[in-house]
Amino acid sequence: MSRVLDVHGSVRPLGAVPLEAPAEGRGQKLVSIVLPLHNEAGNLAELHARLCKVLDATPYRSELIFVDDGSKDDSAALIEQLASRDRRVKLVKLSRNFGHQNAL
């Protein structure tokens, strides 16, 4: 089960299935995309759809690591919804806004 990490090291289940290579995909390279976000609820569905379209056209396994940099909107909740449907989606939730460079 995927987990949400916060800046204090607390871990809680997210409810998504962990990213695992399919049997025929063992040994495939993994592409990890890290996306810092702050109050981006209005853009997340479109961003996810566009990234998936590109990633699905590659021969690689992939994961999307969204780093919520202290958003005050529904960004984290939307990422959790995406993670429940897409096992590639991960969420790291920071306790407050640290700035996009620190989020990376």
Side-chain angles (χ1 to χ4, degrees), residues 21-32:
E24 69 277 1
R26 301 241 183 257
Q28 280 183 321
K29 293 185 179 187
L30 173 65
V31 174
S32 298

Side-chain angles (χ1 to χ4, degrees), residues 19-21 25 27-33 59-65 88 90:
L19 178 67
E20 295 176 8
Q28 280 183 321
K29 293 185 179 187
L30 173 65
V31 174
S32 298
I33 299 175
Y60 307 113
R61 295 180 302 128
S62 59
E63 65 182 351
L64 301 171
I65 304 169
R88 296 174 293 189
K90 310 289 186 260

Side-chain angles (χ1 to χ4, degrees), residues 85-98:
R85 297 188 308 268
D86 183 349
R87 66 183 184 176
R88 296 174 293 189
V89 174
K90 310 289 186 260
L91 172 63
V92 176
K93 188 174 180 182
L94 303 180
S95 62
R96 64 174 180 84
N97 182 272
F98 288 92

Side-chain angles (χ1 to χ4, degrees), residues 30-98:
L30 173 65
V31 174
S32 298
I33 299 175
V34 180
L35 302 133
L37 59 103
H38 181 74
N39 297 330
E40 297 292 339
N43 303 315
L44 292 174
E46 180 69 19
L47 175 62
H48 178 258
R50 289 182 183 201
L51 286 170
C52 288
K53 184 176 180 180
V54 171
L55 292 170
D56 290 344
T58 71
Y60 307 113
R61 295 180 302 128
S62 59
E63 65 182 351
L64 301 171
I65 304 169
F66 290 88
V67 181
D68 181 5
D69 192 18
S71 294
K72 300 295 184 193
D73 65 0
D74 292 330
S75 294
L78 291 172
I79 296 300
E80 288 177 346
Q81 289 175 9
L82 289 172
S84 71
R85 297 188 308 268
D86 183 349
R87 66 183 184 176
R88 296 174 293 189
V89 174
K90 310 289 186 260
L91 172 63
V92 176
K93 188 174 180 182
L94 303 180
S95 62
R96 64 174 180 84
N97 182 272
F98 288 92

